[in-house]
Amino acid sequence: MASYFGISFSFVFLATLLSPAVSQSSSCSSQTFSGNKSYPHCLTLPDLKAFLHYSYDSANTTLSVVFSAPPSKPGGWIAWAINPKSTGMAGSQALVASKDSKTGVASVTTLNIISYSSLVPSKLSFEVWDVKAEEVANDGGALRIFAKVKVPADLAATGKINQVWQVGPGVNNGRIEAHEFSTPNLNAMGSLDLTGATAGVPVSGGDGNSRVHKRNIHGILNAVSWGLLFPIGAIIARYMRIFESADPAWFYLHVSCQFSAYVIGVAGWATGLKLGSESKGIQFNSHRNIGIALFAMATLQMFAMLLRPKKDHKLRFLWNIYHHGLGYSILILGIINVFKGLSILNPDHTYKTAYIAVLATLGGITLLLEVVTWVIVLKRKSANSTKPLKA
């Protein structure tokens, strides 16, 4: 049963790795600009329904860009950035456009994103001018950023730059609110050929794809471990032991299930640590702290098995209290953290519904077995009480 539920749920989450990108209804050719401005190169970016029109003057290394995208929510923001040193958002030099909630006027703010935790307006590390923003007419609230950028000499020499783009839900007291961490958001980066040789060809998410892949693996491992195998192992221990014919088979099934869950959980925990080290500034504190607590508690539980007293030992009662209490704590925290992980991964609602359905099934089985267990226990007590006393 453990293998069936674990494999089934793994396939559900593996589906998130294979989900196709949503195609865009617009195209480069449909974009027009005020003042009959035109740009020789255009990219229909593969994520977040974004477009980039640009021209490049190699003589003075000036890049003229128009970035267009709809914010993730009405009143939200859009951003286009160049990262001179790496491929992600950390370290990038960003242009962020948003509309003033009172006046409705769109404007651009520059951000030198030293880290994900430092998102305050600041000057960029290179020159930028002719910066403005506008709302795209008849396009569902989409915004545009216009700018001219002095490409640093070392980047101009390569003929390529690392670009990053993003959309977010809003601006609060001058600070942009965090964007989602779904697959399209994490994939929104790539290389831009300044010469336009690859214009019209979708750019690759690169590290973003790798990061999404690792996040999905992390989610699968932990959902199967803490969210499925540990609960199934607890069910085996509580309800199979009541059947005398199942002794000691129930014990070995319980240990096998929990040990498998522990090994898979440690692998998931390790991938989480790796993701954390590669995403400095992005922190999900409660999810991380619960994960660390689960690893520590499960490790204690594994070592406690080596110190398990015999059934007739005077300390066995205390050991049972410790073992059961810690076990149920792991079970509850594990399920809570799976839901926290789902909210972070933000997959389609179908996957969360599927996990809830699996938990409901396990809950129904648990309720049924609980009734059966009490019926058997009461019958045994009744039978023992009616036995005649020996002379």
Side-chain angles (χ1 to χ4, degrees), residues 116-319:
Y116 288 98
S117 59
S118 176
L119 296 175
V120 294
S122 54
K123 290 185 178 180
L124 304 186
S125 63
F126 44 74
E127 292 181 63
V128 59
W129 65 97
D130 289 350
V131 178
K132 72 171 186 175
E134 68 178 23
E135 185 174 12
V136 183
N138 302 319
D139 198 9
L143 298 174
R144 280 185 182 142
I145 297 173
F146 295 81
K148 290 184 179 179
V149 176
K150 184 70 172 179
V151 180
D154 56 336
L155 298 180
T158 66
K160 292 183 179 181
I161 59 173
N162 295 320
Q163 64 168 335
V164 186
W165 64 97
Q166 197 55 256
V167 299
V171 180
N172 188 9
N173 294 325
R175 296 177 67 92
I176 63 173
E177 296 176 357
H179 61 77
E180 295 181 2
F181 288 87
S182 58
T183 300
N185 296 87
L186 294 176
N187 281 346
M189 64 182 74
S191 177
L192 178 64
D193 190 331
L194 296 174
T195 66
T198 58
V201 180
V203 288
S204 168
D207 289 346
N209 288 324
S210 173
R211 198 156 47 242
V212 170
H213 184 69
K214 290 176 183 177
R215 281 161 59 97
N216 287 334
I217 290 175
H218 171 72
I220 291 169
L221 292 174
N222 287 295
V224 170
S225 169
W226 312 108
L228 283 175
L229 291 182
F230 266 110
I232 291 171
I235 291 172
I236 291 171
R238 177 162 177 79
Y239 300 113
M240 283 189 66
R241 65 195 305 169
I242 198 68
F243 302 101
E244 295 178 353
S245 60
D247 192 17
W250 73 264
F251 174 75
Y252 295 114
L253 280 173
H254 170 66
V255 171
S256 298
C257 191
Q258 302 304 69
F259 183 72
S260 298
Y262 176 72
V263 172
I264 295 171
V266 169
W269 182 69
T271 59
L273 292 179
K274 178 66 174 174
L275 283 167
S277 67
E278 293 177 349
S279 307
K280 296 187 183 301
I282 301 178
Q283 295 185 355
F284 302 101
N285 291 327
S286 60
H287 183 65
R288 179 195 62 189
N289 293 339
I290 292 175
I292 293 172
L294 282 170
F295 170 73
M297 293 163 69
T299 300
L300 281 175
Q301 196 78 312
M302 292 299 113
F303 280 109
M305 292 301 298
L306 302 176
L307 303 174
R308 186 171 68 114
K310 293 182 178 180
K311 289 183 179 181
D312 57 352
H313 196 281
K314 63 181 181 179
L315 295 178
R316 180 60 178 262
F317 176 73
L318 295 175
W319 185 91

Side-chain angles (χ1 to χ4, degrees), residues 348-363:
D348 189 88
H349 289 297
T350 305
Y351 306 120
K352 186 174 182 178
T353 302
Y355 181 60
I356 292 173
V358 171
L359 286 184
T361 302
L362 289 177

Side-chain angles (χ1 to χ4, degrees), residues 92-109:
S92 65
Q93 309 296 298
L95 301 167
V96 182
S98 62
K99 281 176 57 179
D100 187 280
S101 59
K102 295 180 179 179
T103 65
V105 176
S107 60
V108 177
T109 300

